[in-house]
Amino acid sequence: MICLLAGSTIAPLMAGAITLAWTHSVEKIVWEEDWRSVPAGLELVEARVRGSGAGMEPPPGATLVKGVWSWKPSLPPQVQVVMRRSGATADWRICIAGQCRPMEAYVSPEADPIVMKVCDKS
């Protein structure tokens, strides 16, 4: 199961796989990443971006289907993923089984940074 940690708050997402989505601050283009919990941590399964521009160029090997670039990042499982909130853009979105909610549905809108990791088994 995946959890969000914000200070002393622990928010279990009650899912072993999520899509993390956000809108790029300059290009105003949606970026999505599919994450799942595995024994070694969090595995980035696929990334997608609906266009390209300022720091958002799809890597070699990415495929374009119906205006969306997608690829399988070459990244080992991560112990944690740290996310920051600048206030200059809309909040991160967490999608579980096709239902998306802003991160503030799970942790305080003032919380920063937010750490995503596999929940402790205890």
Side-chain angles (χ1 to χ4, degrees):
M1 183 169 40
I2 298 172
C3 282
L4 299 178
L5 289 74
S8 62
T9 300
I10 300 173
L13 298 179
M14 307 309 288
I18 68 159
T19 296
L20 180 63
W22 66 94
T23 302
H24 189 277
S25 61
V26 174
E27 298 294 340
K28 309 300 185 216
I29 295 172
V30 175
W31 186 291
E32 298 173 326
E33 295 177 344
D34 295 334
W35 291 89
R36 70 177 168 205
S37 65
V38 296
L42 294 169
E43 179 181 36
L44 180 54
V45 178
E46 182 180 73
R48 293 176 297 286
V49 64
R50 300 180 191 297
S52 62
M56 298 182 67
E57 294 76 19
T63 57
L64 179 64
V65 177
K66 297 182 181 179
V68 179
W69 289 99
S70 65
W71 65 95
K72 166 71 172 117
S74 177
L75 185 70
Q78 303 294 296
V79 172
Q80 64 181 22
V81 175
V82 179
M83 296 166 278
R84 302 300 310 256
R85 290 167 149 166
S86 70
T89 60
D91 204 3
W92 299 85
R93 291 177 306 287
I94 304 288
C95 305
I96 301 170
Q99 299 294 321
C100 299
R101 298 171 69 188
M103 190 172 296
E104 69 180 38
Y106 302 99
V107 295
S108 165
E110 293 82 27
D112 179 66
I114 308 297
V115 176
M116 180 172 67
K117 62 186 284 186
V118 174
C119 300
D120 290 334
K121 293 182 180 16
S122 56

